């Protein structure tokens, strides 16, 4: 997974700001936390620029089993994983890049344990960084990020939107979708107006989006 460096966003992320920033409406909020934490990771180490690359067809089943084993070995509880298609903007390459990854749901893990788990996965698969997200109450002191889920978005549509919006691709970097067309985005609480506009241009009804608050970390 590529580390967010302002122009390239790691698997499953789009920057979203805090409610009340600028003139944007407050984000719809899902109050439940279905899992304690999530870990976004891949075993890919290459920049893939062709959306038809055969590597993007890999369902990462072996990777899924291996990471679940790592989670159990580290003392946490794996609850399953979701296959993701990521579309990101590379400032270095000046074009979109693509990545298959998985979002792992994890229970029985705290902040320190999640950090250690992500570092183990990072080292095991030679990654620059692994993204984690801990679901927390919106008002918790550690809360510095959101996770957004929204139906009705394809990888192709995400790519088109990034290419059509220079500001969004430079500041937001990209995002990921599930195979059934569900946007999954994790982001810091700093760019709400831009992110809301971008998500809306993807054809998403903002009021239908699920938003969970928490703490994100890029473990590198």
């Amino acid at each position: 997974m590529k580390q967010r460096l302002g122009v390239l966003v790691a698997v499953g992320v789009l920057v979203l700001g805090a409610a009340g920033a600028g003139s944007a409406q407050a984000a719809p909020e899902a109050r439940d936390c279905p899992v304690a934490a999530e870990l976004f990771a891949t075993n890919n180490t290459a920049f893939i620029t062709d959306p038809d690359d055969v590597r993007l067809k890999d369902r990462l089943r072996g990777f899924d089993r291996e990471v679940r084993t790592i989670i159990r070995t580290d003392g946490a509880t794996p609850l399953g994983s979701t296959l993701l298609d990521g579309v990101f903007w590379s400032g270095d390459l000046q074009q979109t890049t693509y990545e298959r990854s998985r979002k792992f749901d994890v229970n029985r893990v705290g902040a320190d344990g999640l950090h250690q788990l992500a570092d183990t996965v990072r080292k095991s698969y030679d990654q620059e960084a692994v993204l984690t997200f801990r679901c927390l109450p919106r008002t918790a002191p550690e809360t510095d990020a959101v996770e957004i889920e929204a139906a009705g978005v394809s990888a192709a549509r995400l790519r088109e939107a990034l290419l059509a919006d220079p500001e969004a691709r430079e500041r937001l970097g990209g995002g990921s979708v599930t195979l059934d067309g569900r946007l999954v985005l994790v982001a810091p609480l700093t760019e709400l107006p831009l992110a809301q506009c971008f998500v809306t241009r993807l054809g998403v009804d903002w009021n239908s989006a699920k938003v969970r608050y928490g703490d994100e970390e890029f473990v590198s």
Side-chain angles (χ1 to χ4, degrees):
M1 182 184 301
K2 288 82 179 174
Q3 189 174 13
R4 182 192 285 138
L5 297 175
V7 292
L8 183 64
V9 184
V11 172
V13 301
L14 178 71
V15 180
L16 189 74
S23 59
Q25 299 176 5
E29 181 174 357
R31 298 180 184 278
D32 60 315
C33 286
V35 296
E38 295 167 334
L39 184 149
F40 297 79
T42 182
N43 58 4
N44 175 60
T45 57
F47 281 101
I48 299 175
T49 58
D50 179 2
D52 296 319
D53 193 298
V54 67
R55 289 171 290 185
L56 300 175
K57 304 298 183 183
D58 189 346
R59 296 188 68 87
L60 303 179
R61 290 191 177 96
F63 178 67
D64 180 27
R65 292 191 297 271
E66 292 163 5
V67 172
R68 289 199 207 192
T69 297
I70 291 172
I71 293 170
R72 282 191 292 267
T73 301
D74 276 23
T77 302
L79 297 179
S81 73
T82 303
L83 194 62
L84 298 174
D85 284 321
V87 183
F88 309 110
W89 176 256
S90 170
D92 292 337
L93 299 178
Q94 285 297 295
Q95 65 182 101
T96 49
T97 65
Y98 307 89
E99 189 167 79
R100 266 283 166 99
S101 67
R102 280 190 174 270
K103 175 177 73 72
F104 295 88
D105 296 337
V106 186
N107 265 354
R108 296 179 60 86
V109 67
D112 292 343
L114 186 61
H115 177 95
Q116 178 58 48
L117 173 59
D119 194 48
T120 300
V121 173
R122 179 188 66 83
K123 292 175 180 176
S124 297
Y125 297 97
D126 195 27
Q127 297 297 300
E128 289 184 19
V130 168
L131 170 65
T132 66
F133 179 80
R134 285 192 303 131
C135 191
L136 298 169
R138 183 175 180 177
T139 57
E142 305 98 321
T143 294
D144 61 6
V146 291
E147 177 181 74
I148 308 164
E149 293 188 12
V153 179
S154 67
R157 179 69 190 102
L158 182 56
R159 176 180 182 272
E160 291 169 0
L162 284 175
L163 291 176
D165 191 334
E167 184 179 21
R169 71 182 183 230
E170 291 295 334
R171 290 173 58 185
L172 306 181
S176 291
V177 298
T178 63
L179 298 193
D180 62 356
R182 180 166 45 92
L183 195 66
V184 180
L185 310 173
V186 176
L189 297 172
T190 53
E191 293 281 1
L192 175 58
L194 177 62
Q196 181 178 336
C197 289
F198 183 73
V199 170
T200 301
R201 283 196 294 271
L202 286 171
V204 171
D205 177 358
W206 180 249
N207 292 320
S208 71
K210 294 181 179 179
V211 178
R212 298 184 181 97
Y213 292 80
D215 171 51
E216 71 162 355
E217 182 182 11
F218 282 88
V219 180
S220 59

